[in-house]
């Protein structure tokens, strides 16, 4: 079964990772989004694939797995380029830096790890979450890291030193939070069974939705959010501030 999918930057190709269902083969596959044709199969993981990401230039693919590894692949040939070992449990999330030189991984072992792709070396281990890390992202300049955890916090870290700079209570759109308040002046955070719209600069309250949204995604214009409540799709829009 398919566990995770991701688009390439030009939206013409799609990645998929196999999940924990009948017929699973622990592969990453690359597809043509227009024709549906399978282009490349990447084999090497020893257990189900939980996360996939494209490099900014589209030439490489990153994957995380139940086998506790992060793997780098050539998107054209499917060749395995590197295996990054260090996590003590399932890798749930992976991400590239904007320059494609470093990658992040988040794990059930409650850590975020930063890796150098030139040599596969582990640069920093970010320790502070006390539950699994389900989402990771770099800031656009690569100086900050944002992580989301099932401990119901979002944490901002210094990518150089590993210092935790800020803790936000709740869960939200990790990529939008990492992009910063200049790009996204407002954010949607889930706390105590409710979804709060607030200022990304100082946390000032703006509006409240009385349900906890899951899978929150921020619209590029920064004033609309999509999420789900049970089997319903919910759209929130900030009308005025």
């Amino acid at each position: 079964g398919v566990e995770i999918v991701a688009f390439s930057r030009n939206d013409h190709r799609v990645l998929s990772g196999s999940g924990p269902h009948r017929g699973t083969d622990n592969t990453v596959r690359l597809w043509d989004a227009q024709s549906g044709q399978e282009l490349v199969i990447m084999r090497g993981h020893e257990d189900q694939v939980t996360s996939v990401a494209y490099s900014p230039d589209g030439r490489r693919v990153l994957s995380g797995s139940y086998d506790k590894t992060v793997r780098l692949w050539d998107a054209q040939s499917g060749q395995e380029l590197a295996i990054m070992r260090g996590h003590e449990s399932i890798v749930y999330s992976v991400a590239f830096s904007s320059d494609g030189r470093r990658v992040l991984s988040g794990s059930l072992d409650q850590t975020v790890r930063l890796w150098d792709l030139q040599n596969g070396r582990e640069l920093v281990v970010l320790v502070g979450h006390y539950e699994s890390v389900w989402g990771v992202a770099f800031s656009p300049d690569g100086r900050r890291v944002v992580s989301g955890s099932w401990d119901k916090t979002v944490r901002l870290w210094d990518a150089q030193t590993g210092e935790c700079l800020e803790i936000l209570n709740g869960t939200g759109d990790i990529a939008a939070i990492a992009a910063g308040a200049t790009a996204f002046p407002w954010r949607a955070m889930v706390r105590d069974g409710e979804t709060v719209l607030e200022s990304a600069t100082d946390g000032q309250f703006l509006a409240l939705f009385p349900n906890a949204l899951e899978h929150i995604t921020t619209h590029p214009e920064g004033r609309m959010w999509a999420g789900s409540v049970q089997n319903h799709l919910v759209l929130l829009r900030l009308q005025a501030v």
Side-chain angles (χ1 to χ4, degrees):
V2 175
E3 177 72 6
I4 189 75
V5 294
F7 273 108
S8 65
R9 289 291 180 97
N10 63 16
D11 290 347
H12 293 158
R13 294 178 297 171
V14 181
L15 283 171
S16 66
S18 65
H21 306 292
R22 181 181 298 176
T24 185
D25 57 5
N26 309 324
T27 62
V28 178
R29 295 175 186 246
L30 182 62
W31 311 80
D32 185 293
Q34 296 176 320
S35 68
Q37 179 184 358
E38 183 180 271
L39 303 175
V40 182
I41 303 177
M42 304 169 206
R43 302 183 188 276
H45 279 298
E46 298 171 6
D47 208 334
Q48 73 182 72
V49 178
T50 59
S51 50
V52 290
Y54 255 109
S55 64
D57 62 9
R59 297 171 61 184
R60 293 168 298 167
V61 168
L62 192 66
S63 60
S65 168
Y66 265 61
D67 67 12
K68 308 177 187 178
T69 68
V70 178
R71 298 184 188 230
L72 184 70
W73 314 83
D74 184 291
Q76 190 72 27
S77 67
Q79 179 185 357
E80 188 177 81
L81 302 176
I83 304 176
M84 286 153 274
R85 304 182 190 274
H87 281 295
E88 298 175 4
S89 192
I90 301 165
V91 177
Y92 276 127
S93 52
V94 294
F96 279 95
S97 62
S98 59
D99 62 8
R101 296 180 180 180
R102 296 171 298 160
V103 297
L104 285 170
S105 55
S107 170
L108 180 64
D109 68 13
Q110 305 174 12
T111 68
V112 178
R113 295 173 191 247
L114 182 62
W115 310 83
D116 184 336
L117 281 190
Q118 292 182 314
N119 53 26
R121 187 167 62 92
E122 184 180 87
L123 297 174
V124 184
V125 181
L126 310 178
V127 178
H129 284 297
Y130 52 90
E131 291 287 352
S132 304
V133 178
W134 53 259
V136 291
F138 280 98
S139 63
D141 63 8
R143 297 172 61 187
R144 302 286 184 266
V145 167
V146 174
S147 59
S149 167
W150 287 325
D151 65 14
K152 299 181 181 178
T153 68
V154 173
R155 295 181 183 237
L156 177 68
W157 313 81
D158 184 301
Q160 188 72 29
T161 66
E163 178 187 359
C164 184
L165 303 174
E166 185 179 2
I167 301 175
L168 301 175
N169 291 319
T171 59
D173 183 343
I174 299 301
I177 294 171
T182 301
F184 296 101
W186 306 284
R187 64 190 178 217
M189 298 292 294
V190 175
R191 300 187 187 100
D192 301 322
E194 301 173 323
T195 303
V196 177
L197 301 184
E198 61 187 26
S199 167
T201 304
D202 57 14
Q204 181 180 353
F205 174 84
L206 298 172
L208 176 70
F209 179 71
N211 294 101
L213 292 188
E214 296 183 352
H215 315 297
I216 294 177
T217 302
T218 309
H219 189 277
E221 71 172 18
R223 300 179 68 96
M224 184 183 296
W225 296 265
S228 63
V229 176
Q230 296 179 348
N231 62 339
H232 298 285
L233 173 66
V234 177
L235 297 175
L236 303 179
R237 183 174 181 85
L238 189 61
Q239 297 291 351
V241 179

